[in-house]
Amino acid sequence: AMLQQTAGGADVFAVREGPWKLIIEKGQPRELYNLQQDLKESRNVLAGEAAVAGRLIAEYKRIRGEQTPPSR
């Protein structure tokens, strides 16, 4: 998995793994996209892909060394 942070140090992170992209932004709901099926990131599939989201959140925590990622 790869972790990206927006330019300027804002609290917006993206975790990428295969076709999946999880967006974590402080104060905002998390978003999960399958870029293979939705390159424009128009359909948040977080609710239907809980296992994928959980795996990427765990990877975010591991990389950042945090117990809880920002937001919900």
Side-chain angles (χ1 to χ4, degrees):
M2 176 176 57
L3 179 68
Q4 297 173 309
Q5 184 176 15
T6 57
D11 286 334
V12 181
F13 296 89
V15 181
R16 294 279 312 269
E17 181 182 80
W20 299 106
K21 180 179 180 182
L22 176 72
I23 298 174
I24 299 173
E25 181 175 0
K26 187 175 182 177
Q28 299 295 321
R30 294 183 187 129
E31 302 170 36
L32 178 67
Y33 300 100
N34 182 328
L35 299 179
Q36 203 167 36
Q37 298 173 357
D38 180 22
L39 194 55
K40 294 182 180 181
E41 299 178 15
S42 60
R43 292 183 312 271
N44 183 357
V45 296
L46 185 86
E49 297 288 350
V52 173
R55 184 175 72 243
L56 294 179
I57 290 167
E59 187 65 8
Y60 169 87
K61 289 190 227 181
R62 184 190 69 75
I63 293 169
R64 296 273 299 161
E66 296 182 7
Q67 295 300 315
T68 305
S71 187
R72 306 174 228 155

